[in-house]
């Protein structure tokens, strides 16, 4: 694991009041590509990813009970979850060597397909257990740019149980969940786009 934690002094806690140090966590986002992924000739653009209110902020969300959403005191992400997912998928696809051209939307590179991500959940969830699980839920849609046809859509869910309730252990669980989510979404994108391209 390669989690980076940076201690920043003088940041206010989410509860307000006295100033307390805040640790900023930057989990690794890329994943290794399996050998069975197809090699494709079409190009891909990653559209801007979205997350709901309370899902895509810098604070690390925790759900102690089903109807209660809080944040960990003195801890936050280095980037919003949607950006971490987008960056991880982009790096995973680039490193895989299975696609010639992949870039962010707006980079000026023409693309055959566009991947859109909607982050539904990115939280530490106790779910009735004594230790929480890093829970990531993302809906991915792959669009054919020229025809605006939906090539495929799927919701991905990753749940990784933390070793303890301590924030550093929760972040380790998030790093594992992120790697798995990035690998699943990247592989699904290649397979779905290739199937659609061959049917056209």
């Amino acid at each position: 694991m390669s989690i980076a934690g940076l201690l920043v002094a003088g940041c206010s806690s989410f509860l307000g009041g006295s100033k307390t140090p805040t640790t900023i966590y930057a989990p690794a986002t890329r994943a290794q590509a399996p050998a069975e992924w197809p090699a494709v000739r079409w190009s891909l653009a990653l559209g801007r990813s979205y997350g709901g209110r309370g899902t895509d902020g810098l604070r690390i969300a925790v759900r102690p009970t089903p109807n209660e959403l809080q944040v960990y005191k003195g801890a936050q992400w280095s980037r919003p979850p949607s950006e971490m997912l987008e960056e991880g998928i982009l790096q995973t696809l680039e490193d895989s060597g299975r696609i010639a051209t992949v870039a962010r939307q707006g980079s000026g590179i023409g693309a055959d397909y566009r991947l859109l991500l909607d982050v539904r959940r990115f939280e530490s969830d106790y779910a009735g257990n004594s230790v929480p699980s890093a829970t990531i839920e993302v809906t991915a849609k792959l669009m054919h740019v020229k025809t605006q046809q939906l090539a495929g859509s799927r919701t991905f869910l990753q749940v990784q149980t933390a070793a303890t309730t301590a924030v550093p252990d929760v972040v380790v669980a998030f790093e594992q969940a992120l790697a798995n989510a990035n690998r699943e979404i990247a592989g699904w994108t290649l397979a779905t786009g290739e199937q659609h391209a061959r049917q056209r």
Side-chain angles (χ1 to χ4, degrees):
M1 296 300 165
S2 54
I3 296 170
L6 176 63
L7 187 64
V8 180
C11 296
S12 298
S13 73
F14 76 96
L15 294 175
S18 61
K19 295 182 180 298
T20 58
T22 296
T23 302
I24 300 176
Y25 292 96
T29 56
R30 70 178 62 184
Q32 187 173 359
E36 63 267 21
W37 280 5
V40 303
R41 296 183 177 180
W42 42 265
S43 56
L44 176 71
L46 271 69
R48 182 180 177 185
S49 304
Y50 293 93
R53 184 178 180 181
T55 302
D56 203 32
L58 292 178
R59 300 209 182 270
I60 304 175
V62 55
R63 190 178 295 274
T65 64
N67 297 321
E68 183 181 8
L69 190 63
Q70 299 183 4
V71 294
Y72 285 110
K73 183 177 180 179
Q76 69 178 52
W77 299 121
S78 61
R79 292 180 294 171
S82 61
E83 291 185 14
M84 288 193 283
L85 279 160
E86 183 182 329
E87 180 69 19
I89 293 168
L90 180 65
Q91 290 179 341
T92 298
L93 287 170
E94 286 178 336
D95 294 347
S96 73
R98 304 300 203 284
I99 184 168
T101 305
V102 56
R104 290 184 177 86
Q105 185 175 326
S107 63
I109 298 176
D112 300 304
Y113 290 90
R114 181 181 297 116
L115 178 65
L116 305 173
L117 302 175
D118 183 10
V119 185
R120 294 183 176 182
R121 298 181 67 190
F122 201 99
E123 63 194 35
S124 171
D125 189 358
Y126 275 82
N129 299 311
S130 59
V131 293
S133 294
T135 304
I136 300 174
E137 184 177 356
V138 184
T139 295
K141 294 181 180 179
L142 187 64
M143 304 291 299
H144 184 251
V145 174
K146 187 175 181 179
T147 63
Q148 289 300 296
Q149 181 182 8
L150 181 65
S153 177
R154 180 177 163 185
T155 297
F156 298 84
L157 176 65
Q158 281 292 330
V159 178
Q160 291 289 327
T161 303
T164 73
T165 60
V167 175
D169 287 333
V170 171
V171 173
V172 169
F174 268 108
E175 186 171 75
Q176 294 170 339
L178 263 173
N180 291 338
N182 290 337
R183 185 184 301 107
E184 276 197 337
I185 295 171
W188 171 84
T189 300
L190 292 175
T192 302
E194 185 65 6
Q195 182 180 20
H196 182 267
R198 290 184 177 184
Q199 291 174 347
R200 295 186 68 251

